[in-house]
Amino acid sequence: MTLPKLHEMAASGEKIAMLTCYDATFAKLMADAGVDILLVGDSLGMVLQGAENTLNVSMHHMTYHTKSVAAGAPDTLIIADMPVGSYEHDNEAAYKNAEWLIRSGAHMVKFEGGGERVETARYLIERGIPVCAHLGFTPQSVNQLGGYKIQGKTEESAHQIMQDAIDMSNAGVSMMVLEMVPAALAKQITDNIKALTIGIGAGVDCDGQVLVIHDVLGIYNGPASKPASEFKAPRFVKNFLADTNSVQQAVGNYVQAVKDKSFPAPEHSY
Ligand SMILES: Nc1nc(=O)c2c([nH]1)NC[C@@H]1CN(c3ccc(C(=O)N[C@@H](CCC(=O)O)C(=O)O)cc3)CN21
Ligand SMILES: CC(C)C(=O)C(=O)O
Ligand SMILES: [Mg+2]
């Protein structure tokens, strides 16, 4: 999988299927099931480590899991999240950390934020590192945003997200994840920027979709510190294992549902 191929897919209307992945066994299974892109997400702080948020994930965690995923899927495009503290403060440190992820097997790095991160995106891209942006709900800012909630609901915040998308695209990012934004806004962004858009709770009109694999399998029920009975899955999640008895088939059904645009349905969107 290459970036030109992904642009061809988008131009021909074929949707891009992305899933989070953290180890070699799942990487191989996902590659065989036709997943186009594997995201080594800092969601691993929540789904692997049992934390309440992604704020305590380190570069060591990210490089360890990136190496495992790369070992399992040598021919699949791999994106790795830059964790909290690895890119916000200075661009040289951001470059060194991004390079470490690339040397661990990632082909592209992803970090959260818009306008305030444009110069960092430019800095890495100028030095040959492909970048994926992440706009809308940005989990690393959960405490500033005041909880897990939809972004871009007011005209002003929708305008801000649109401007961030334009600015990041002009800085040269190859892709951007749009998380928990109204479907109409995600469509408008997708129609107006060069970068490919990958939605999670952003409607069916993005160029592609991403979900956390644990959510696809219906096995995540909240942080280790809280009883499962208190957990309610976010609206954008769908359990693809519910209709089959094999993990391979569940992942295959997710890919199929993204490709035939039956996922996300309006009930998964805002
Ligand atoms: N298992 C898992 N799935 C994810 O999608 C995910 C992670 N972990 N960890 C990192 C971030 C955090 N994310 C989250 C976590 C919770 C909600 C959530 O509870 N959403 C509710 C409330 C929305 C609202 O208040 O409007 C929802 O119903 O969507 C959303 C995104 C997305 N990412
Ligand atoms: C949910 C996706 C987009 C992510 O950033 C992650 O898995 O960390
Ligand atoms: Mg992330």
Side-chain angles (χ1 to χ4, degrees):
M1 182 54 73
T2 62
L3 266 170
K5 173 111 194 289
L6 290 171
H7 275 283
E8 267 172 44
M9 281 169 63
S12 74
E14 180 179 350
K15 298 292 180 185
I16 298 162
M18 173 157 128
L19 281 178
T20 71
C21 189
Y22 317 99
D23 69 44
T25 300
F26 271 96
K28 189 162 181 232
L29 181 152
M30 288 178 191
D32 289 346
V35 178
D36 298 305
I37 307 176
L38 305 184
L39 172 66
V40 188
D42 61 350
S43 51
L44 66 82
M46 293 166 72
V47 296
L48 301 191
Q49 300 173 344
E52 290 205 27
N53 51 47
T54 59
L55 303 182
N56 289 294
V57 174
S58 71
M59 277 300 299
H60 283 97
H61 299 145
M62 294 308 303
T63 53
Y64 173 91
H65 289 283
T66 300
K67 281 178 198 165
S68 300
V69 169
D75 301 322
T76 305
L77 189 74
I78 298 169
I79 304 180
D81 264 348
M82 299 197 73
V84 166
S86 71
Y87 62 92
E88 305 92 328
H89 186 61
D90 84 84
N91 289 338
E92 202 180 321
Y95 175 79
K96 285 190 175 138
N97 286 322
E99 186 203 24
W100 187 9
L101 289 165
I102 299 291
R103 277 192 282 108
S104 302
H107 305 103
M108 187 182 301
V109 300
K110 172 163 91 54
F111 53 80
E112 299 181 6
E116 69 285 8
R117 298 276 94 89
V118 164
E119 286 315 314
T120 305
R122 213 185 291 282
Y123 191 92
L124 299 196
I125 294 159
E126 275 172 0
R127 286 160 182 77
I129 298 186
V131 171
C132 178
H134 184 157
L135 303 176
F137 178 72
T138 46
Q140 293 177 5
S141 307
V142 60
N143 293 326
Q144 285 99 312
L145 298 174
Y148 295 97
K149 39 188 165 192
I150 182 177
Q151 304 296 309
K153 262 172 56 167
T154 67
E155 201 176 318
E156 193 191 346
S157 70
H159 189 264
Q160 184 61 55
I161 294 169
M162 184 62 174
Q163 194 59 52
D164 285 343
I166 291 168
D167 292 346
M168 288 303 262
S169 186
N170 287 341
V173 305
S174 309
M175 260 182 241
M176 65 184 64
V177 166
L178 301 175
E179 178 163 354
M180 285 210 277
V181 298
L185 173 61
K187 174 169 168 43
Q188 202 189 347
I189 292 170
T190 304
D191 290 346
N192 282 285
I193 64 165
K194 210 172 103 195
L196 300 167
T197 61
I198 309 289
I200 173 166
V204 75
D205 291 316
C206 296
D207 295 310
Q209 298 292 326
V210 62
L211 280 181
V212 169
I213 181 60
H214 294 62
D215 297 335
V216 167
L217 302 178
I219 55 173
Y220 180 71
N221 58 27
S225 60
K226 289 191 180 141
S229 56
E230 279 176 22
F231 178 75
K232 188 177 150 285
R235 179 183 173 89
F236 55 78
V237 160
K238 180 174 174 184
N239 177 355
F240 285 87
L241 193 62
D243 298 324
T244 174
N245 56 13
S246 116
V247 171
Q248 282 90 341
Q249 197 59 54
V251 171
N253 288 351
Y254 166 75
V255 172
Q256 178 63 38
V258 169
K259 301 279 174 190
D260 70 21
K261 307 180 188 84
S262 59
F263 180 82
E267 75 217 56
H268 306 114
S269 309
Y270 301 90

